[in-house]
Amino acid sequence: MSSSDYDPTSEGAETDFTRRMSYGNYLALDAILSAQHPLSEAHDEMLFIIQHQTTELWMRLAIHELSAARRAIARDEVSPAMKMLARMSRIFEQLNNAWDVLRTMTPSEYTRFRSQLGQSSGFQSRQYRLIEFLLGNRNHAMLKPHAHDPETTKLLEAELATPSLYDEVLRLADRNGLKMPAAVLARDVRETHSFNEGVLQAWRVVYEAPETHWMLYELAEKLVDFEDYFRRWRFNHVTTVERVIGFKRGTGGTGGVSYLKRMLEVELFPELWRVRTIL
């Protein structure tokens, strides 16, 4: 029998969904697939919209995974947290691959609809800002683009008041015999963690004897693996923007490429990168 003659009902497949949940119902596909509203006749605007919508969907999953991993670490449930962090690396691998699709759009093609964006910009993504805060990059100035939205401001303020993922990892390490500086453990979690020599030396103990501190060693490498993918995402973002708009200012008013290049200098887990130098 050829594939064109195959009848799925012969094996019991359901075809009547009058009173049953269908694939489209479960995934709310009517809402998702009707959410693209180009404002111009430019062919490539659909690409631009879908690229950013799917990015936001992956970020939704990233927040789900990072938040759960942080809660698990706070409860000393390290194994499930490491599974979630491994998934985070795969999520950002998907986000990195998406830049390859967007880069098929040339500067001339983008110019045909760029004016339709007005002042809208990925700079204003509340989910991206939440991820940055959750990971510990807590720049309070980044609350300003959301000041017009009380609900988003409340969400971000609540995140700032919560220990970051790295804060919870350092507390976990301290609970497991890896002495962390008291000032780091008691610091104001609303602020960004800065490089600390005491934390560096604590991680040095782990990396010099991984077989003795395997759980913390493995967790540290999961964090480095994730930040590696996150850095690549930022680099690909810069490269894509420079390729498409050069050094024009961003639609949201940032310096565009110059702003994005500054973000490449951000270290989320500074001691985990620098410990490699002193081994």
Side-chain angles (χ1 to χ4, degrees), residues 5 24 40 57 66 90 93 109 123 129 133 140 251 273:
D5 296 326
S40 75
L57 284 173
L66 284 172
R90 302 287 82 79
E93 184 175 24
E109 290 162 346
F123 170 73
R129 193 60 52 212
F133 284 3
H140 293 219
T251 50
W273 291 97

Side-chain angles (χ1 to χ4, degrees), residues 14 17 20-30 32-33:
E14 294 291 345
F17 295 97
R20 294 174 180 165
M21 180 173 291
S22 70
Y23 174 80
N25 295 147
Y26 177 70
L27 296 176
L29 290 181
D30 284 347
I32 293 173
L33 298 178

Side-chain angles (χ1 to χ4, degrees), residues 177-196:
L178 193 68
K179 191 65 177 175
M180 290 291 170
V184 172
L185 297 177
R187 74 179 193 83
D188 181 0
V189 298
R190 290 179 55 84
E191 303 301 326
T192 299
H193 168 76
S194 299
F195 169 78
N196 182 277

Side-chain angles (χ1 to χ4, degrees), residues 124-257:
Q124 300 150 11
S125 168
R126 78 173 187 176
Q127 290 201 124
Y128 176 71
R129 193 60 52 212
L130 188 59
I131 290 171
E132 286 272 5
F133 284 3
L134 206 159
L135 292 172
N137 184 21
R138 300 185 160 191
N139 183 351
H140 293 219
M142 294 298 100
L143 289 170
K144 294 177 182 178
H146 307 284
H148 67 285
D149 185 344
E151 181 180 347
T152 295
T153 299
K154 182 179 179 181
L155 177 70
L156 295 175
E157 287 281 9
E159 178 54 47
L160 285 175
T162 305
S164 72
L165 175 68
Y166 193 45
D167 285 327
E168 291 294 2
V169 169
L170 297 182
R171 294 177 183 191
L172 171 79
D174 190 74
R175 292 195 298 272
N176 282 270
L178 193 68
K179 191 65 177 175
M180 290 291 170
V184 172
L185 297 177
R187 74 179 193 83
D188 181 0
V189 298
R190 290 179 55 84
E191 303 301 326
T192 299
H193 168 76
S194 299
F195 169 78
N196 182 277
E197 182 66 29
V199 173
L200 174 65
Q201 294 304 322
W203 284 121
R204 181 177 190 169
V205 171
V206 172
Y207 276 81
E208 287 183 339
E211 62 283 349
T212 304
H213 307 280
W214 186 258
M215 180 266 287
L216 292 174
Y217 175 70
E218 191 175 14
L219 179 57
E221 282 300 290
K222 283 287 187 293
L223 292 176
V224 170
D225 192 41
F226 164 63
E227 186 170 359
D228 188 345
Y229 277 96
F230 194 56
R231 286 182 176 188
R232 291 186 222 177
W233 184 80
R234 281 177 166 156
F235 177 79
N236 278 322
H237 190 181
V238 172
T239 303
T240 301
V241 171
E242 186 171 355
R243 177 169 174 165
V244 175
I245 69 168
F247 287 85
K248 294 188 183 78
R249 295 193 68 81
T251 50
T254 69
V257 168

Side-chain angles (χ1 to χ4, degrees), residues 250-263:
T251 50
T254 69
V257 168
S258 63
Y259 165 75
L260 294 172
K261 283 186 174 179
R262 283 198 299 273
M263 296 302 295

